[in-house]
Amino acid sequence: MPAWQTRLASLELFIAEEDQTIAGFIGFSLDGHIDLLFTAPGCARQGVASTLYATAEQRLRATGVRELHTEARLVAQAFFAGQGFSAEQAQTVVRDAVILPRMLMGKTLEPL
Ligand SMILES: CC(C)(COP(=O)(O)OP(=O)(O)OC[C@H]1O[C@@H](n2cnc3c(N)ncnc32)[C@H](O)[C@@H]1OP(=O)(O)O)[C@@H](O)C(=O)NCCC(=O)NCCS
């Protein structure tokens, strides 16, 4: 919990709720890094992550950010590709001795 509190304290967070239950959340920093994006399993494929992402992108645009990046797990790559991100570099990260593949992905925000 302390590690999560430290990590979350450095991020902007938007939380999606339905019937007072958390449906998903996004955490990002104002340098354009999308750090966390999760949808509750029971709310998957209902547009929760899309809505959270659109809200975060709007916030980042408003602060003048032009370059976005994220390290997407395999399950999230199709989602981010659908939001206009391009794959930039395959990476691996070790969590509790488990090696997880992920993809560094980026997006340039064009002027509206
Ligand atoms: C990735 C994740 C955030 C997507 O959340 P979601 O709320 O289900 O996404 P949406 O409903 O907004 O999906 C929008 C589109 O993204 C794509 N998409 C989303 N999940 C997908 C999946 N599992 N496989 C393929 N495409 C997917 C689809 O094109 C989808 O549109 P469609 O449902 O009309 O086909 C969710 O699956 C999740 O929490 N995964 C586990 C955590 C994770 O890996 N987070 C990323 C860390 S960077």
Side-chain angles (χ1 to χ4, degrees), residues 77-88:
Q77 288 176 27
F79 171 83
F80 281 108
Q83 300 296 335
F85 282 70
S86 302
E88 294 181 347

Side-chain angles (χ1 to χ4, degrees), residues 30-108:
L30 295 180
D31 62 357
H33 182 224
I34 312 295
D35 192 0
L36 301 165
L37 176 60
F38 287 91
T39 294
C43 301
R45 306 302 281 264
Q46 296 171 32
V48 171
S50 299
T51 302
L52 286 165
Y53 172 76
T55 309
E57 187 180 291
Q58 193 176 26
R59 167 90 171 107
L60 288 163
R61 271 187 188 280
T63 62
V65 171
R66 291 291 166 263
E67 299 292 333
L68 306 184
H69 59 286
T70 192
E71 296 87 12
R73 298 181 192 179
L74 286 178
V75 68
Q77 288 176 27
F79 171 83
F80 281 108
Q83 300 296 335
F85 282 70
S86 302
E88 294 181 347
Q89 185 184 36
Q91 301 178 336
T92 56
V93 62
V94 180
R95 293 276 186 268
D96 295 327
V98 177
I99 299 172
L100 300 170
R102 67 182 190 184
M103 183 65 72
L104 178 64
M105 302 181 78
K107 175 178 178 177
T108 300

